Amino acid sequence: MSDDFRAVSLQTPEQYAEAAALYREVFGYQQPDHGLNPRLLAALAGNGGSVVGVLDASDRLVAFAYGFPGTSESALYHYSQSAVVSADLQGRGLGRMLKYAQREVALANGMTRMRWTYDPFQVRNAHFNLNVLGARARWYRPDLYGPGTDRLVVEWNLTQEKVQLPEPVARVEIPVDRAAVSALSVSRVRDEFAELLAKGLVATGIHRDDEHTASYLFGPAE
């Protein structure tokens, strides 16, 4: 990670507008209903949410994330809705900077857990979320945003400083290549996750088995 980058909480209308533009650029959104309102970011920043970014040496916004407080069954947590990194700077550790900046906001507001979702068939994201950060995949949500948008919901213990992967007690295989995911493999993964999660297990990590296959590793919940 370069010293040329620094994480900050965004605070000005200009920064919120820049964040909204970066969001559209990274995701390739063209339609207005897929955009992000800068006024929403201002409201989140002023009411317990996280609106954080990474600036380069010239103070250009090159990465951005936002989130807000959430509650479920009396559990209070910070929900990270989205994080984006400029295409030319991905793989430079900026995603980790964003998550830790959100962590500081959440802790400052009295929350010790953070949740977010990701595509279970994106191996790189799984590695970052589970192996690097130490989050745990606790819930599987089929078609969360519509057909073909299965998501894993992960929870990150913000007070845990050191990531320790326990010995796995079960595995679920997935294709490494997202383009190779078939309807049959989606159905199988859904069923296997449902069975293991129902037993009180959580996905604790992911292992690259070979060039074609990776395996989610499961262990007991905390």
Side-chain angles (χ1 to χ4, degrees):
M1 189 182 305
S2 172
D3 291 337
D4 291 338
F5 302 105
R6 69 187 191 281
V8 299
S9 287
L10 305 185
Q11 299 177 329
T12 69
E14 293 77 15
Q15 288 178 324
Y16 301 143
E18 192 176 0
L22 181 63
Y23 178 85
R24 291 193 303 272
E25 174 188 330
V26 171
F27 285 121
Y29 291 148
Q30 301 297 324
Q31 299 300 322
D33 56 346
H34 289 163
L36 187 60
N37 191 325
R39 293 188 178 185
L40 171 64
L41 299 180
L44 291 174
N47 293 278
S50 61
V51 183
V52 300
V54 175
L55 307 180
D56 66 9
S58 63
D59 287 340
R60 179 174 66 100
L61 184 71
V62 294
F64 156 70
Y66 75 100
F68 44 85
T71 183
S72 175
E73 297 177 353
S74 301
L76 182 64
Y77 53 88
H78 190 86
Y79 187 80
S80 177
Q81 171 63 26
S82 187
V84 297
V85 177
S86 294
D88 60 331
L89 292 173
Q90 294 179 8
R92 299 279 299 274
L94 305 190
R96 188 185 301 195
M97 292 180 69
L98 288 174
K99 274 291 183 282
Y100 275 93
Q102 286 189 299
R103 174 181 180 268
E104 293 305 312
V105 173
L107 289 172
N109 284 286
M111 287 167 278
T112 60
R113 303 272 172 163
M114 187 185 299
R115 296 181 187 178
W116 64 93
T117 68
Y118 76 96
D119 182 341
F121 296 98
Q122 292 287 359
V123 174
R124 182 176 177 180
N125 288 352
H127 170 74
F128 174 71
N129 293 331
L130 305 180
N131 297 354
V132 176
L133 293 179
R136 300 291 182 251
R138 297 180 178 273
W139 303 275
Y140 193 105
R141 299 288 186 255
D143 298 329
L144 180 62
Y145 302 115
T149 60
D150 285 16
R151 293 293 184 266
L152 277 173
V153 183
V154 298
E155 186 173 68
W156 185 24
N157 182 348
L158 304 181
T159 63
Q160 179 180 330
E161 295 294 338
K162 186 177 180 180
V163 175
Q164 293 182 334
L165 294 179
E167 287 296 319
V169 299
R171 295 172 178 254
V172 171
E173 291 186 358
I174 64 168
V176 168
D177 183 0
R178 183 65 178 84
V181 176
S182 65
L184 184 61
S185 61
V186 170
S187 178
R188 173 185 58 80
V189 170
R190 285 180 176 180
D191 291 344
E192 292 182 9
F193 261 89
E195 179 181 354
L196 294 172
L197 294 175
K199 293 179 179 178
L201 300 176
V202 296
T204 59
I206 194 166
H207 177 265
R208 181 73 174 263
D209 301 326
D210 53 44
E211 61 178 322
H212 301 295
T213 307
S215 292
Y216 276 99
L217 312 178
F218 284 77
E222 296 173 353

